[in-house]
Amino acid sequence: MSKNILVSGGAGYIGSHTVLQLLLGGYKTVVVDNLDNSSEISISKVRELAGSFSTNLSFHKVDLRDRPALEKLFSKTKFDSVIHFAGLKAVGESVQKPLLYYDNNLIGTINLLEVMAAHGCKNLVFSSSATVYGWPKEVPCTEEFPLEATNPYGRTKLFIEEICRDIHRSDPEWKIILLRYFNPVGAHPSGKIGEDPRGIPNNLMPFVQQVAVGRRPALTVYGTDYSTKDGTGVRDYIHVVDLADGHIAAVRKLEDPKIGCEVYNLGTGKGTSVLEMVAAFEKASGKKIPLVMAGRRPGDAAIVYASTEKAERELNWNAKYGIDEMCRDQWIWASQNPYGYGSPDSTN
Ligand code: UD1
């Protein structure tokens, strides 16, 4: 019998790619999303891509803070596991509006965990982030590194990790996998689903993509004086399809009777600078990306990349794609959908 998975935030960037891989893997998938920072169009695209598996997908516009709506879902369906993506994720906004972040990310998660426990569903995969390593003193980052949050968004990820460790301690029936993502980029190779941030993108590749399609004049490079190969920041970029596959590996791992509350990095283990990423994107797209060199962005670390050993060993998962494929697929998505899921008038 196929397993039932609830995916919170399944209409978003990483969520939609994961939902597709779940469907193709034969899972029944129920998506809840409040659509605050995502579009229901992603769900219809996932249906198209999933073909005959799309009958295993249902979507509910639900906010995790709406307890009765969650209760209703859990009383209708017995879920084997939950993959919890839903949350706000813009660092700058979280500094301006911390209560919004604590309310949305923490209250939403606590509600979800309470309803799960009440219905006897104690298997969880949570979207954490490499942001919990703060400014790492060395690289690669291993899962044992000390944890530190440097802004309210990061604190919500760290607090949720701690909440998960606490509930597992209090009730060992819980099986929880915390996935620390490095820098997800790229899109499904079909070009039908991808990242579609609202407003001015905060992250590098969505910005580069909008420059390439003519929506923004130039990329500002934040910091050219880091102690790195070319002075620009170094990150571990990971293809979103590889990341999605990491979730399937994690859901499978939850079947291991020995699993308690475990944490895994999902990255490639390779560091790439801003300028290297821009060069790879220019090659993939044939577009010139004009650059404006600027000072460092406050809060940025110089070099962050993952140790991938634990995920390879225990999840039997590793990233298959390199930066050329990430840029190729990002460009397919961007060139086919210059305004994401919207139209030129619906975005800014
Ligand atoms: C950022 C967040 C991090 C979050 C992650 C994934 C900050 C300080 N950190 O990480 O908490 O988990 O996104 O959502 O926002 N860059 C430019 N120009 C730009 C944008 C970025 O030069 O317009 C540079 C940055 O300085 C950095 C690299 O590109 O060196 C990657 O930046 P970004 O995509 O924002 O990711 P992170 O900083 O790793």
Side-chain angles (χ1 to χ4, degrees), residues 11-307:
Y13 173 44
I14 307 170
S16 56
H17 288 81
T18 302
V19 169
L20 177 60
Q21 299 307 89
L22 283 169
L23 293 169
L24 299 177
Y27 290 92
K28 289 191 176 148
T29 309
V30 174
V31 170
V32 290
D33 199 304
N34 66 6
L35 301 178
D36 264 11
N37 193 26
S38 57
S39 165
E40 203 179 333
I41 300 172
S42 69
I43 298 291
S44 52
K45 299 286 179 188
V46 165
R47 277 190 217 285
E48 265 177 62
L49 290 168
S52 60
F53 291 104
S54 63
T55 49
N56 283 339
L57 171 62
S58 68
F59 171 73
H60 303 267
K61 184 175 184 296
V62 165
D63 187 303
L64 294 183
R65 291 163 295 184
D66 181 351
R67 181 80 170 246
L70 271 187
E71 282 286 351
K72 207 168 136 194
L73 271 172
F74 275 82
S75 45
K76 266 201 289 197
T77 308
K78 185 158 172 32
F79 294 110
D80 295 285
S81 302
V82 173
I83 308 182
H84 175 34
F85 292 102
L88 296 172
K89 58 164 194 165
V91 173
E93 184 186 50
S94 81
V95 174
Q96 303 301 320
K97 301 176 184 169
L99 288 176
L100 176 71
Y101 274 66
Y102 292 129
D103 179 41
N104 193 93
N105 295 8
L106 296 185
I107 307 293
T109 301
I110 291 167
N111 250 335
L112 175 66
L113 294 171
E114 283 177 343
V115 175
M116 285 175 69
H119 291 266
C121 172
K122 297 181 182 176
N123 292 338
L124 177 75
V125 175
F126 172 63
S127 298
S128 188
S129 163
T131 194
V132 300
Y133 295 122
W135 297 287
K137 289 191 184 60
E138 48 180 339
V139 277
C141 301
T142 70
E143 287 82 351
E144 290 74 39
F145 270 24
L147 304 180
E148 180 189 22
T150 57
N151 53 68
Y153 153 75
R155 248 180 298 284
T156 67
K157 293 292 180 195
L158 187 50
F159 289 165
I160 295 169
E161 283 205 5
E162 299 291 10
I163 290 170
C164 288
R165 285 186 270 272
D166 284 339
I167 59 173
H168 175 259
R169 259 179 233 122
S170 77
D171 176 359
E173 275 183 17
W174 278 92
K175 292 176 174 196
I176 303 179
I177 293 186
L178 309 169
L179 297 176
R180 293 185 184 147
Y181 310 153
F182 282 69
N183 292 61
V185 298
H188 189 267
S190 64
K192 289 193 187 298
I193 52 174
E195 186 167 17
D196 183 22
R198 302 236 163 115
I200 302 171
N202 300 295
N203 298 116
L204 177 66
M205 292 312 282
F207 204 103
V208 167
Q209 151 180 346
Q210 292 195 3
V211 174
V213 298
R215 287 172 63 180
R216 317 233 169 240
L219 170 75
T220 306
V221 176
Y222 295 130
T224 52
D225 60 346
Y226 287 111
S227 306
T228 58
K229 38 195 151 186
D230 56 24
T232 64
V234 167
R235 294 291 184 275
D236 186 339
Y237 297 94
I238 172 168
H239 196 297
V240 66
V241 174
D242 275 331
L243 192 68
D245 284 335
H247 291 74
I248 314 303
V251 166
R252 281 209 202 99
K253 183 72 177 175
L254 289 175
E255 291 170 28
D256 178 344
K258 291 191 296 291
I259 198 92
C261 180
E262 276 299 334
V263 48
Y264 296 99
N265 286 338
L266 295 185
T268 63
K270 294 185 187 74
T272 305
S273 74
V274 174
L275 295 182
E276 286 173 332
M277 214 50 197
V278 169
F281 190 86
E282 286 183 332
K283 194 173 110 201
S285 63
K287 299 276 176 189
K288 185 91 200 123
I289 305 297
L291 302 178
V292 175
M293 300 305 186
R296 297 180 179 191
R297 183 171 64 176
D300 271 359
I303 308 184
V304 185
Y305 59 87
S307 161

